[in-house]
């Protein structure tokens, strides 16, 4: 533990030559699977890096070549894209750009950018659990640091609707979760159906406003 007046962070990198494979980090897509890991056991979840530092969950598996640091203030490990690779510019000193990038990170990814069916399943379980308890900040962190697709977020939205966690619902919808996502094994039921069953009009209105096109509610 550092003394009171010492630095709050210890920064380090692992095999930066391996990080990108054939993809640009700015695209925020798949990267090489030569990995440094903070994960314990078999149930790891792939870490989704950004241009800014984010904390790693205990089960996160992070790709080698990222820039890591130990945050002594929070007691957590953090990681981001290595700003020295392919001319990436660190955005720590650009508050407006940092704010914009953080907002952009709070969105789902296309399924073709996911890290495989197993990872989708594990992310879905973690996100659903956070929604069960209405953990707003944890839901945000999962969306930003994991490869969250609609296949993971759709069931999580249904869980948030069933539990009545309005702020969690707002986050999931803002992130691009489809309110008319058809839940597996539920005969075509969607999160909107779940809201109607609870009788919560405010939730129903939120989901109706988030429908992808006019009249979408009548096609589910």
């Amino acid at each position: 533990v550092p003394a009171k007046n010492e630095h709050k962070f210890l920064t380090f990198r692992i095999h930066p030559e391996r990080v990108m494979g054939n993809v640009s980090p700015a695209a925020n897509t798949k990267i090489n699977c030569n990995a440094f890991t903070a994960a314990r056991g078999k149930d790891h979840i792939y870490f989704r890096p950004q241009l800014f530092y984010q904390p790693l969950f205990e089960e996160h598996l992070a790709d080698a070549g990222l820039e890591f640091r130990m945050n002594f203030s929070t007691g957590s490990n953090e990681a981001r894209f290595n700003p020295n690779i392919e001319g990436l510019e660190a955005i720590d000193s650009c508050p407006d750009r940092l704010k914009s990038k953080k907002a952009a990170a709070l969105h789902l990814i296309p399924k073709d950018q996911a890290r495989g069916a197993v990872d989708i399943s594990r992310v879905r379980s973690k996100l659903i659990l956070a929604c069960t308890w209405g953990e707003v900040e944890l839901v945000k962190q999962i969306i930003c640091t994991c490869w969250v697709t609609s296949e993971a977020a759709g069931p999580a939205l249904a869980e948030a609707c069933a539990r009545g966690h309005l702020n969690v619902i707002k986050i999931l919808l803002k992130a691009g979760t489809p309110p008319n996502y058809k839940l597996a094994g539920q005969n075509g039921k969607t999160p909107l159906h779940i809201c109607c069953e609870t009788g919560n009009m405010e939730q129903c209105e939120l989901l109706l406003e988030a429908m992808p096109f006019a009249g979408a509610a009548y096609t589910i």
Side-chain angles (χ1 to χ4, degrees):
V1 179
K4 186 173 182 180
N5 293 325
E6 291 183 358
H7 295 298
K8 295 181 179 179
F9 306 104
L10 173 63
T11 303
F12 57 98
R13 296 171 188 147
I14 300 176
H15 301 303
E17 70 278 4
R18 298 179 184 173
V19 64
M20 293 323 307
N22 295 322
V23 213
S24 167
N28 200 18
T29 54
K30 292 183 183 178
I31 50 183
N32 199 325
C33 291
N34 295 307
F36 164 82
T37 179
R40 300 292 182 269
K42 298 179 180 180
D43 294 332
H44 63 260
I45 295 173
Y46 286 104
F47 177 71
R48 179 186 170 203
Q50 307 290 345
L51 292 174
F52 51 88
Y53 279 113
Q54 299 185 105
L56 290 135
F57 293 128
E58 182 179 359
E59 61 267 45
H60 261 142
L61 187 69
D63 295 85
L66 300 179
E67 184 173 77
F68 298 90
R69 75 179 182 186
M70 298 177 187
N71 188 329
F72 296 116
S73 298
T74 63
S76 63
N77 293 321
E78 300 174 345
R80 69 175 178 181
F81 280 121
N82 182 348
N84 293 330
I85 291 180
E86 297 189 9
L88 282 178
E89 178 187 353
I91 58 176
D92 301 348
S93 58
C94 306
D96 290 340
R97 189 175 176 219
L98 178 61
K99 183 178 179 180
S100 173
K101 291 296 181 182
K102 286 186 174 181
L106 194 59
H107 282 84
L108 307 188
I109 62 164
K111 188 175 181 179
D112 63 2
Q113 292 182 15
R115 302 301 291 265
V118 173
D119 192 64
I120 290 175
S121 176
R122 291 172 179 170
V123 170
R124 178 169 57 240
S125 296
K126 188 173 184 67
L127 190 57
I128 288 175
L129 184 60
C131 290
T132 297
W133 296 103
E135 297 282 354
V136 174
E137 293 305 316
L138 180 57
V139 169
K140 288 181 180 179
Q141 189 175 345
I142 293 171
I143 294 172
C144 289
T145 65
C146 301
W147 300 84
V148 183
T149 64
S150 58
E151 288 74 17
L157 176 60
E159 176 69 8
C161 291
R163 300 283 178 170
H165 296 309
L166 191 63
N167 288 332
V168 171
I169 293 171
K170 290 178 179 179
I171 292 167
L172 290 169
L173 292 175
K174 186 176 181 179
T177 307
N180 57 345
Y181 178 86
K182 288 182 168 52
L183 303 167
Q186 301 256 355
N187 296 318
K189 187 179 287 187
T190 71
L192 180 57
H193 287 119
I194 304 295
C195 282
C196 293
E197 289 173 355
T198 66
N200 189 315
M201 290 303 297
E202 188 173 5
Q203 288 182 187
C204 289
E205 289 173 358
L206 277 175
L207 268 69
L208 286 170
E209 290 173 0
M211 282 294 173
F213 57 89
Y218 299 102
T219 67
I220 62 177

